[in-house]
Every structure is written in structure tokens, then in C-alpha cells.
Amino acid sequence: MSQPTVSPPPPVAAASAGLGWLLRMAWRDSRRGRGRLLLFVAGVALGIAALVGINSFGDNLARSINEQARELLGADLVLSASQPFDSALVPALRQLSPVQSQEQAFGSLVQFPRVRGVRLAQVRGLSGGFPYYGAWDVRPAGAVAAYRAGRGALVDDVLLAQFGARVGDSVRVGRSGFLIVGRVLHTPGQSGLGSAVAPTVFIPGAAVAGTGLVQRGSRVQYRRYFRFAPGVDAAAKIKPFETRFDQANIDSDTVASRQQRTGRAFHDLTRYLGLVAFVALLLGCVGVASTVSLYVREKLAPVAVLRCLGASGRQALLIYLIQTAGLGLLGALLGAALGAGVQAVLPRVLGDFLPVAVRVGVSWPAIATGVGAGLGLAVLFALLPLLSIRRVAPLRVLRAAFEADTAAPDPLRGLVLALLAAGIFGFAYFQTREWKLALGFGAGLAAALGALAGLGWGLTWAVRRYFPGGWGYVWRQGLANLYRPQNQTLVLLTSIGLGTFLLATLYLTQGLLLGRVATADAGRQPNLVLYDIQPAQRAGVEALLAQHRLPVMQRVPIVTMRLAAINRQTVSALKKDTAGGKGIPAWILSREYRVTYRDTLSRTEKLKAGTLPRLGPGGVPYVSVDNGYFERAQLKLGDTLTFNVQGAPLLTVVGGTREVDWSRVQTNFLVLFPNGVLEGAPQFHVVLTRTPNTAALGAVQQALVREFPNVSALDLGLILQTVDDILSKISFVIRFMAGFSIATGLLVLASSVVVSRYQRTRESVLLRTLGASRRQILRITLVEYALLGLLAALAGIALAALAAWALAAWVFEASYAPNPLPLLGLAAGVAALTAAIGLFNSRDVLRRPPLEVLRAEG
Amino acid sequence: MSILKVENLTKAYPAAGGAPLTVLQSVSFEIGAGDTLAVVGPSGSGKTTLLGLCAGLDRATSGSVWLKGVPLDKLGEDQRAAVRNQYVGFIFQNFQLLPTLTALENVQVPLELRGEKGSAAPARALLERVGLGKRAHHYPAQLSGGEQQRVSLARAFANRPALLFADEPTGNLDPDTSETVVNLLFELNREAGTTLVLVTHDLELAARTQRTLRFRGGAVQEDYRNEPAGAPARA
């Protein structure tokens, strides 16, 4: 046989159709799938909406904080101290600015005589024109002028609302009574939440002395507010005073520092909420992968035809990549538009937490980030199933059952997975700016997905391996659907399981936090703390408690002091070192220490190292410090701590450490002195008692206000309620964001079910043609989807229980006993929802004649 | 000049726990430009396997295929696709039209893949030629089986192929429709001067080609010319 003539040269270059043709083919091919892929678009859109919403809100909040920075502080500079300002310093302070206000702030029980209400409040005695920036939101409008004229008090709306008191009533603070001239809805620099925790009563500055509440040893915060001429740099202005301020323990706060601190706190908040939104996006992307995977299975035949006609594997892949990227882009744009709406709602959702009024506006960087991340991740997730397209053999046109082409392992798949992992980690880092958190997020997500996927594989294997052949037809058919070709077991278990995991984790964590606080109010623990009791008043207060048949459960003397030096190195020097990275936290150096003295440990303390507090050689006090404090302050036994006890230096030696259970309602202390040192120092006492009911509580508070007006009473029941309120608000915010994940999970579920509808319809129609009744088809569908939903939900809940247990054990160090009933309810709800979506999808098959359905499905 | 040359072509599949299953055994033949060849034989005799190998849709276990002088076994998957686009047309038993494309778009695809501009006009002309000018914008699901196969014919000739492979082109059609489609196939083939390789069970249809290869058990059992009847073919 002769060799053939070789003419023309071998045309081995790939077909030359360009981008235009690829775009055209992508458009043409999508014609029949657009409706079905719409749910995929919606899944991506929801995820991106959540992300764009929270990040836009974050940007808007940051901008608003910048714009309203002065209103945050209400002045250009605030100086604060726990002692009256040194008279030697006052003339110098006057030079800073002639426009200034003074304030004395302290906690005290206040009483509303008309309604007989008593509550601990923050009392602020103001003189001068503060606030200089921003305005009090006060009703009636003229109330501020009346207050400044010294005609009465302004009271937080929260406080008035609690007791049903109103403007025109009087409020009693210490020995003085004040006419309530206005209710305060908003004070510059204070969030709604701040008011809830510590509602404020503003009294005229000149009237503070008359209350009798400011005495030696009282815990009072002294503040001075300054207003500078426009353009004056506050930081530069106080620079020359820094050393003197340090020596006098005066803290300064400028507009810039407040702006930075508030900005950073809310930046962190929105970043973390962004992470919750990111989960929604990832769920949407899991949906993309599952939808595209089912879609690709349908496209194998047309791809083989294209390959047969001369399209390269790359061209075939690009057609479908363009298609999914186009849909992803559509989803991203819809998501961005929706996100712009979400960010307009978020200020209302977060209202109580916000220190400034957020000006809503479109944040293009947030939109670009959301669209970029959403599109990128959606395309990467879609690539996982799409990759197989480039390996579809044209031989499929002759042999439809040929499967060897896409079955072999694909090295590019590993690359896409690596890119995905990098993308997820990268974005988590971008959101949080913390390597550890981003790694933890990635690892946690991978573990959850891995566990759910493992469960999916295990389930299909187990059902196949231990198939209950003896069960009824409906059960066998429904169970077989879990492992037959084109089953959705893995996809649905992963997506529904992840959604349930998020929901259950939120629920369990909230329960954990509330449970932790609730134990404070349980059983025989103290529920009322009386403090600011002067030494001379102690016996009287205890006698008053006895009159009311209330026990004295604990009595503790407290001395306030500040840290002056560690190992004779001054705090100022240490602060500079810390700024250089030595790592003693600033709060250790700057805080006010409230210490007590005794030679024994309480029930909440355990000796960890060294000795109990004792007097050492030469009468030097050997103090005991909390173990965590000991580590953070980088101390060793034998180190010295010098304290400034209200002006007098006191050298101590670290003689031992204690492990303190801070969750118990006790007076707990970082630093414990021995007896025989502080007895002569200015001090106050704390007495803990337990009231059996609110009537007894009200009675003792009334008596306290009457007889010991300077003594404050902290009602732990009220604290518990406030914490509950705060947690409810926080969990509402998180639920709002997690709601996107749930909605996305449902969309993923719906889209998986809808995309697989064609095959399922054919099967169901075939069954009906062979004589299956509608009822049987309905029950088969019900068994399959209810089982899938139930297993996914149980898996998600089990993972959440594990996560909550880990949080309880390692983070909160609390006991963990979740109530199983709501969790079982959640599982039943998810299973019912899944089955309902499955049944809704099958409604056509049940309603219409088989042939009509087949024709309609094409 | 030979358009297609097949030399010692063998295709075997690995069988679980036994000797490989050989479905095509040392097949050799060649066919010149403009010739027509029928491949006949019972089911499982290797006809479709041969077609898949000749068109570069599959790889042989051993042996070679030259298509227009291009050794297919030396090319990668995408290069073979390019060769098909350049020189080959296909007609399948189950039509294999792209369901999401209209009739006109289906015919345009081979031209578009070549990067040719203005593919609509020749595609429309071909649809007119097969009698479907008025159905150009219908989707395959809106066409009858005969109409779909006529669109498939138009698509097969769109890239003016040197070689046309037809796999049971009338297998899914009723006799009357089959007659129309076969007449069209041979008319278009004659007009274009295309080499035709026709795989069929239908001996009457095979008899309309110039030459027949009869397969049995994966090997050529008989190779004969159809005109004049019974004349021996070249080896």
C-alpha cells in the first residue's frame, strides 16, 4: 500500500474562532438554561448583597465618624482624673483655652419620689457650655436653657421610661431634689446602648456639693472640656503638659484620639460582621458549584458535538466559563444593588450601638470589593465542575455511555482547589486583618465542609451497603435516590448542613453567654451590691439590712490606687517601652486599681504560686496578684510594684499569685494586700446581700437613699436584664447578617432541586407511566428530601454543638448544657422546609399527564 | 490521490481479569477523492469503532490513519479537532444538533469555528438547498426527525469537507423520509465532490456507493465494488 500524498500541509492549528464566537455561543447555549440558572444568580446575589451591605455600612460609618468626630467628644479636648485637678495646675489649664466646662461624674442611686422608683444612675454635674459640638436631643426644646440656668435636671429617657416618671416630676440625688426639666434622647458621644447600661442624670455643676455625695474616698470622675479656636492642634497644645498630666494621673482625649479609637472599634465590628456575610457568599458559591455541576452533566452531549465539529477543549470550556461568569456578574451586580439597600437598613439594625448618625451613601470600594470577591469566588467554584468540559471526548457523539474521558483525575482541579483555599483565606484576612483569625476561619470552614462532605459520602455508602431490601417500595425508592447517579446527597448535605450549623452555633453561643450571666442571679448567690459605704457608715448600713431581714453575705474594704512603677521603672517609662513593643498591656499601666486587704483567700480564689498576702521583712507588704494579670504584666515572684495610694507612694513585693473565678458574683481583685497596711488609707466598703423579691429590693433601696444617700446599690437582676437586652440586640444584628446565609442556603437548596428537575421529572414520569400513583411519587419525594434535610440539619447541629462545647470549654470556661428541644425543633423545621421545596418542585409531575410533562420539558 | 488511508488499524479494550477485548483487528484500506464507500456488517462488528478512529474521534491501539495526508495518531485531541473542522463533515443517526441553537445557527457553527465572517449567507443557502429555508429560525425540538436530519446534512456540507462520515443516517427515519434524506445526501455529495464514508446496516443504501467493506468480528470480511456489480476491489 503506497503512502498517501501529503498536500496541503497538515492543518494542526486549533480552530480559529475568536472571543466573539465564544461569547455568541455562550449566549446561544444559555437559552434553555437561563430560567434554571436564575436561582444560582440569586444565591450569588444574596451573598454579595450581604458583603457589600456590611462593608458599605462600615465605610459610611467610618466616614460619619470622621465627619462627626467633634460631636463624638463634644469638645476639642477632654481631661479626666479620679482626683480633683491640682490647684497648681488650674491656672495653666486656663491658658489652654478660656472656653471650658467642668464636670463631676459619679454613680449614685437616684430616686423618683412620685413613682417611688430607685435606680443606680450616672450623675453628671456640669458647668459651662458643654457640649460645644453636636447637640443634646432633649424634650422639650427649651430644657437645655432651663438646665444651664440651674433650674433643674435633665434625665435620660431610658430612666424616665423605666419608672413612668416624666418632665415636671422631681428626682432625688443624695440630699438634694431636682425638678426634671427635660428628657434626654441623645447626648453627644454616647450611644443608645451606653444609656441603657448607665442612664444619666445631669444636674447643675453648682449643685453637686449640695448632694453630699462627693466626699473623701468617693469614686468621682473629674472632667474638663475645652473648646479651641478653629485650626488649633489639640495634640500640640497639650504636648508641654504631658509629664505633668502623667504625674497627676490625668487622661487626655482629643478629637483625633477619640475618632481613632471609635473608628477602630467599629471598623473591627464591621469587619467581623463582614465575615458572617462572607459565609453567605461562600454558601452561594457552594450553590454555584453544585448547580454548575448538575448543569455540566446535561451539557456533555452538546459539548461532544462541538468537539466533533472541531471546537477545542479550551474553546468548549470557555463557552461555559463565559456563561457562568456572565451569570455570576449578573448576580454580583444584582447583589451590589441589593447590598446598597442593605447598608441603608443597617444603621437602623445597629442603631443602639452607634455613637454617630450614619450618613447613608454608596461606597464604591465596598461595591468593587464585593463584586470582585463574589465574581472571583463564584468563577473558581464553578471551575471545579467546569474543568471536566475540556476533557469531554468527541466519541460521546457515537457512544453516549462513554465516560472514561471525564472520570480520570484532573491535575488542574488541584490547582483550582489551591486557588480557592488561597482566595478564601485571602479574603478572610482582608476582612479581619488578622492572620490567626483568617487561618482559623479557613480551617474551621474547611473542617465543617469536610465533615459535612464526609457525612454525605458516608451516607451514600451506608445506604448502598446496608440497603434495607425488605422495606416497602416507597422507602426503598426514596432511599435509593440518595445514592443513584446524579443524586444530590453531597450537595444538599453540605449546603443545608452549613446553613444549619451557622444558625445553631449562633443560638448555642447566645445561650452560653446568657447562661453564664444568669448563674449570677441563681440560687443563694448575692444579688445586691452596696458600695461607696464610708467606714463610718458601715455599721449603720449593716443595721439597716438587718432591719429589712437581709443577710450580710460579704463585706469588703476597698482602696483605690494607681500603679506608679514596676521594679522601680516608672509607668511613664514603661509606657514608652510598651509603645516600642515590650508588650505590657496599656490597661495594666493606666487603670485605677481597686484593691482590698485580707490574709486569707475567698471561695473564688485558689493559691497558684508563692504565698498568701503577708507582711515581709521591714514591714514591706507582699501582695498576691491574679494569675492572668501576673502573666500579662510579665511579672516574676519577688518583683516590686509601686502603687500611688491617693498621693502616697507604696512599695510592694509580688509574693504570690491566685487563680480567680471572675464569673462568680463576688468582689474579686487583681491585687490583694495583707492586713496592716491599708487600714488608714481613704477607703470605702462594699457589702453584698440577697433580696428575696423586688418588693424587698425596692424597700431597702428607698431606705438607703433616705438614710445613706451616698451609698450606691447595684441590682444584679437589673444588670442581668440589661445584659440580656444587649445580647438580644447583638444577636439580632448577627442573626440579621446570618439571615443572608440562611436565605442563600435555601436558594442553594432550591436551585439544586430545580436544576436536577429534568432528570427527576423523567424518572417520575416513567414511574407514573409504569403505574405508580401520584401518592406513591409524592411519598418517594418526601422520603428522599425529608431524609436529606433531617440528616443535614442534624449534622449541622452536631457540628454547632461541638463548636459551642469548644467555646464553653476553652473560651468562656463555663459549663455546657444546651437545651435540646429548640435544636430538635430546628432540625424538624429544616427537614420540613427541604421536603416542602422538593415537593413544590415535583408539583408538575403530580398534576399533569406524563406525556404533557415530557413534552414541556423538551 | 488518497483522502483517507487506514493501515493495520487495531482497537482493543482492556477487559477485567482477562485478555483485552479486540473490536477491530488489523484493518487496512484507502479511499480516493470523490469516492463513496459503504461500511456494512452486523451490530458489534466494529463499524462504528472504525468510523470513530477514521474521524479522529478516538485513538487506535495500533495502526495508523492518514486523513488528507495528516497522520491522526500523531496529533493531540485539539489538533484532531482542527483537522475535523478543516476536512470532515458528519451525519449521525440521532442527528446530534445542538438543542439550544436554531437550525441556521447549527449550520453556521462549522464555519464560525473556522473564524469565517459572514457565515449566515452560505448557511442559509444550504438550508434552502435542503428545503428548510423557512425553518431557519426553528430550534431542533420544533423540527421533525427528517427535518433535523436535513439540517444535519446542511451542517455537514457547510465547511465544504473533503470527507463526509455518515453513521446510519437513516436509522431513525421512516422509509419515505429516509428516501428524501438519502437522495439529498448523494446529490450534495456529488455536487461538492466530497468523499463519502457511509456506515449502515442497510444493504440497499450501501449499494448506492461505489464500494462496500463488509465487516465481521472486527475484521474486513469482504471488500467489493458496487459498480459494476460484484467486480473485485483493489486490495
Side-chain angles (χ1 to χ4, degrees):
Chain A
M1 202 183 279
S2 61
Q3 288 292 319
T5 315
V6 180
S7 71
V12 291
S16 52
L19 182 64
W21 180 74
L22 293 173
L23 288 169
R24 209 155 50 236
M25 281 303 289
W27 174 251
R28 287 167 175 169
D29 185 84
S30 70
R31 280 172 185 149
R32 281 178 66 192
R34 280 175 213 155
R36 284 180 290 161
L37 291 172
L38 216 66
L39 283 169
F40 143 36
V41 171
V44 175
L46 265 188
I48 291 178
L51 204 58
V52 168
I54 192 70
N55 284 344
S56 281
F57 167 74
D59 290 352
N60 287 336
L61 182 58
R63 200 183 54 232
S64 299
I65 287 173
N66 287 347
E67 286 169 356
Q68 300 166 46
R70 289 180 171 206
E71 285 87 337
L72 271 178
L73 202 60
D76 290 304
L77 170 71
V78 180
L79 298 179
S80 51
S82 55
Q83 300 287 321
F85 287 84
D86 188 349
S87 52
L89 195 63
V90 171
L93 293 180
R94 253 186 228 117
Q95 285 170 14
L96 273 175
S97 169
V99 187
Q100 51 176 280
S101 302
Q102 295 185 35
E103 180 184 287
Q104 296 174 70
F106 48 89
S108 170
L109 285 176
V110 297
Q111 186 187 27
F112 298 92
R114 185 180 68 80
V115 291
R116 301 180 63 81
V118 179
R119 186 185 161 164
L120 182 66
Q122 180 74 7
V123 179
R124 293 172 70 176
L126 253 176
S127 56
F130 177 84
Y132 299 116
Y133 304 105
W136 262 325
D137 187 0
V138 173
R139 303 283 185 281
V144 172
Y147 167 72
R148 291 202 199 286
R151 291 203 293 271
L154 296 172
V155 182
D156 247 342
D157 188 45
V158 178
L159 201 51
L160 293 180
Q162 184 187 345
F163 295 111
R166 53 179 184 251
V167 173
D169 285 353
S170 71
V171 58
R172 187 150 197 89
V173 181
R175 289 199 300 257
S176 307
F178 298 90
L179 174 71
I180 301 173
V181 293
R183 59 172 65 219
V184 180
L185 300 177
H186 174 71
T187 306
Q190 193 167 351
S191 68
L193 204 63
S195 300
V197 175
T200 308
V201 174
F202 292 92
I203 60 172
V208 170
T211 64
L213 297 175
V214 178
Q215 300 171 9
R216 186 164 176 261
S218 299
R219 293 177 320 106
V220 179
Q221 199 68 20
Y222 297 85
R223 296 194 187 96
R224 282 185 183 234
Y225 299 93
F226 297 84
R227 179 183 183 161
F228 297 141
V232 171
D233 179 355
K237 195 99 174 161
I238 57 169
K239 189 97 184 148
F241 294 91
E242 266 178 1
T243 317
R244 291 173 73 184
F245 286 171
D246 257 2
Q247 285 164 352
N249 285 320
I250 295 173
D251 293 325
S252 64
D253 206 358
T254 62
V255 172
S257 64
R258 174 66 66 94
Q259 176 184 347
Q260 199 182 12
R261 214 168 49 238
T262 315
R264 199 186 307 132
F266 282 92
H267 188 66
D268 288 349
L269 172 74
T270 52
R271 289 274 176 205
Y272 294 144
L273 285 177
L275 222 46
V276 179
F278 187 42
V279 172
L281 175 62
L282 285 176
L283 260 185
C285 288
V286 168
V288 166
S290 71
T291 312
V292 171
S293 155
L294 292 165
Y295 188 64
V296 161
R297 284 185 210 172
E298 273 181 36
K299 293 295 176 184
L300 293 178
V303 169
V305 173
L306 277 174
R307 301 283 282 126
C308 192
L309 295 177
S312 68
R314 193 175 133 269
Q315 285 175 317
L317 169 66
L318 282 174
I319 288 171
Y320 291 96
L321 192 59
I322 288 170
Q323 211 174 74
T324 42
L327 285 166
L329 183 64
L330 181 65
L333 295 176
L334 281 174
L338 193 59
V342 171
Q343 58 99 26
V345 177
L346 277 173
R348 259 173 261 172
V349 176
L350 282 157
D352 281 343
F353 293 91
L354 304 177
V356 293
V358 177
R359 194 161 60 82
V360 171
V362 175
S363 163
W364 294 110
I367 286 178
T369 309
V371 169
L375 189 58
L377 282 172
V379 167
L380 278 176
F381 268 95
L383 255 180
L384 284 175
L386 280 178
L387 278 178
S388 62
I389 280 184
R390 77 193 203 294
R391 306 207 302 175
V392 169
L395 192 61
R396 280 179 186 258
V397 294
L398 298 175
R399 302 192 189 285
F402 183 73
E403 284 182 350
D405 50 353
T406 55
D410 188 342
L412 267 187
R413 206 178 151 79
L415 179 69
V416 173
L417 281 171
L419 280 174
L420 261 178
I424 290 170
F425 169 75
F427 194 79
Y429 176 72
F430 172 78
Q431 279 296 132
T432 60
R433 307 287 160 147
E434 283 183 39
W435 288 108
K436 280 185 188 167
L437 196 65
L439 271 175
F441 176 81
L445 194 75
L449 282 174
L452 289 167
L455 178 80
W457 278 311
L459 181 67
T460 45
W461 176 85
V463 172
R464 196 196 296 249
R465 175 76 177 75
Y466 304 105
F467 193 76
W471 289 16
Y473 171 72
V474 166
W475 276 95
R476 279 187 286 124
Q477 190 72 19
L479 281 172
N481 280 348
L482 295 178
Y483 65 78
R484 289 190 309 174
Q486 304 205 25
N487 67 71
Q488 299 160 80
T489 307
L490 194 62
V491 165
L492 291 192
L493 271 180
T494 312
S495 51
I496 303 172
L498 205 58
T500 316
F501 166 67
L502 279 176
L503 260 185
T505 306
L506 285 173
Y507 167 76
L508 289 174
T509 313
Q510 191 187 350
L512 208 61
L513 288 171
L514 277 179
R516 198 173 136 83
V517 181
T519 52
D521 196 39
R524 296 295 310 152
Q525 292 211 48
N527 64 1
L528 186 66
V529 180
L530 310 183
Y531 64 96
D532 279 348
I533 304 169
Q534 299 305 310
Q537 295 174 315
R538 206 184 89 190
V541 169
E542 289 184 9
L544 187 142
L545 290 180
Q547 279 168 27
H548 285 79
R549 298 176 190 281
L550 299 178
V552 174
M553 300 173 82
Q554 200 183 8
R555 61 174 71 83
V556 186
I558 290 178
V559 179
T560 57
M561 56 186 71
R562 283 179 179 271
L563 190 63
I566 299 178
N567 291 328
R568 299 182 195 278
Q569 194 175 1
T570 64
V571 164
S572 316
L574 284 167
K575 276 181 183 168
K576 281 175 194 145
D577 276 359
T578 297
K582 266 205 173 174
I584 297 178
W587 63 267
I588 285 182
L589 303 174
S590 318
R591 67 173 291 137
E592 183 182 68
Y593 287 74
R594 286 167 204 155
V595 310
T596 192
Y597 49 89
R598 52 182 146 84
D599 295 333
T600 54
L601 296 184
S602 73
R603 281 179 306 153
T604 57
E605 297 170 323
K606 264 193 304 200
L607 186 67
K608 183 93 179 164
T611 62
L612 295 178
R614 63 191 164 91
L615 285 175
V620 175
Y622 276 57
V623 296
S624 169
V625 300
D626 167 66
N627 196 49
Y629 174 87
F630 182 75
E631 285 168 9
R632 286 190 199 102
Q634 303 171 13
L635 294 172
K636 297 185 301 295
L637 292 181
D639 280 354
T640 64
L641 297 172
T642 309
F643 288 98
N644 175 347
V645 187
Q646 295 167 44
L650 177 61
L651 181 79
T652 67
V653 175
V654 180
T657 67
R658 292 161 299 135
E659 197 160 291
V660 181
D661 180 3
W662 292 92
S663 67
R664 299 289 294 273
V665 183
Q666 291 279 147
T667 45
N668 287 317
F669 300 91
L670 290 176
V671 181
L672 190 59
F673 273 67
N675 285 330
V677 182
L678 296 173
E679 280 77 353
Q683 57 193 274
F684 65 88
H685 290 260
V686 169
V687 169
L688 273 69
T689 183
R690 180 173 181 83
T691 57
N693 50 47
T694 46
L697 173 71
V700 77
Q701 282 184 319
Q702 299 277 356
L704 273 170
V705 169
R706 204 169 46 244
E707 294 179 34
F708 303 101
N710 65 301
V711 173
S712 296
L714 195 60
D715 170 11
L716 292 178
L718 190 64
I719 294 285
L720 180 65
Q721 196 188 330
T722 310
V723 171
D724 194 6
D725 276 356
I726 294 169
L727 285 180
S728 295
K729 280 173 181 162
I730 292 173
S731 65
F732 175 69
V733 173
I734 297 176
R735 275 199 198 118
F736 181 83
M737 294 314 297
F740 283 89
S741 299
I742 311 304
T744 313
L746 287 177
L747 275 173
V748 169
L749 165 65
S751 70
S752 300
V753 172
V754 168
V755 170
S756 66
R757 171 194 171 115
Y758 179 64
Q759 194 219 350
R760 287 306 160 102
T761 304
R762 292 190 78 87
E763 281 174 11
S764 300
V765 165
L766 195 60
L767 285 175
R768 280 195 68 190
T769 312
L770 293 175
S773 68
R774 289 177 190 203
R775 190 178 151 77
Q776 280 173 316
I777 305 272
L778 188 87
R779 287 170 58 202
I780 290 169
T781 313
L782 194 67
V783 166
E784 182 189 354
Y785 285 103
L787 251 176
L788 269 178
L790 188 65
L791 280 168
L794 289 177
I797 288 170
L799 280 176
L802 200 69
W805 171 82
L807 280 175
W810 291 312
V811 180
F812 301 124
E813 295 178 358
S815 60
Y816 172 59
N819 180 2
L821 273 182
L823 294 176
L824 290 177
L826 177 67
V830 171
L833 198 61
T834 313
I837 291 176
L839 288 178
F840 181 75
N841 189 49
S842 308
R843 67 197 185 285
D844 259 10
V845 183
L846 298 170
R847 224 174 36 210
R848 292 157 58 187
L851 195 60
E852 192 187 323
V853 176
L854 277 182
R855 280 193 179 137
E857 294 288 339
Chain B
M1 184 186 76
S2 136
I3 291 290
L4 178 70
K5 182 186 172 187
V6 173
E7 203 170 81
N8 289 322
L9 207 58
T10 296
K11 178 73 181 178
Y13 294 101
L21 176 69
T22 304
V23 293
L24 209 62
Q25 181 100 49
S26 296
V27 174
S28 299
F29 68 93
E30 62 184 285
I31 179 169
D35 289 353
T36 56
L37 170 77
V39 179
V40 298
S43 294
S45 60
K47 306 186 300 288
T48 302
T49 303
L50 176 71
L51 187 141
L53 292 171
C54 289
L57 301 180
D58 199 1
R59 280 181 183 278
T61 308
S62 64
S64 304
V65 176
W66 283 272
L67 204 158
K68 280 281 269 183
V70 180
L72 292 187
D73 50 307
K74 301 277 192 293
L75 304 183
E77 188 64 59
D78 285 348
Q79 290 170 315
R80 294 205 301 273
V83 170
R84 284 195 294 276
N85 181 249
Q86 199 73 23
Y87 298 128
V88 180
F90 286 98
I91 298 172
F92 301 102
Q93 179 177 355
N94 52 0
F95 325 132
Q96 296 287 16
L97 295 177
L98 294 166
T100 53
L101 271 60
T102 62
L104 181 67
E105 287 167 347
N106 262 291
V107 180
Q108 281 179 268
V109 167
L111 297 169
E112 290 175 332
L113 268 168
R114 289 179 171 195
E116 285 189 13
K117 299 270 183 247
S119 60
R124 197 179 293 277
L126 273 165
L127 278 178
E128 294 282 355
R129 178 67 186 85
V130 299
L132 292 174
K134 295 203 167 98
R135 311 296 298 271
H137 297 293
H138 286 77
Y139 290 98
Q142 298 167 313
L143 301 172
S144 70
E147 287 169 331
Q148 287 190 51
Q149 195 60 305
R150 280 191 277 159
V151 175
S152 177
L153 265 174
R155 182 179 70 183
F157 284 97
N159 58 342
R160 300 171 295 280
L163 181 58
L164 180 68
F165 290 104
D167 180 28
E168 300 283 7
T170 56
N172 276 359
L173 302 175
D174 64 73
D176 287 348
T177 313
S178 295
E179 184 63 23
T180 313
V181 167
V182 168
N183 286 341
L184 258 173
L185 169 63
F186 280 98
E187 278 172 31
L188 285 167
N189 195 55
R190 202 164 38 248
E191 287 166 15
T194 309
T195 303
L196 173 67
V197 176
L198 176 68
V199 171
T200 182
H201 282 104
D202 184 348
L203 295 179
E204 258 185 64
L205 175 58
R208 295 179 68 164
T209 61
Q210 296 166 336
R211 177 183 168 198
T212 300
L213 289 181
R214 183 184 294 276
F215 270 70
R216 181 169 285 274
V220 179
Q221 191 187 33
E222 212 177 344
D223 179 357
Y224 57 87
R225 287 198 173 280
N226 294 320
E227 327 168 313
R234 50 194 168 162

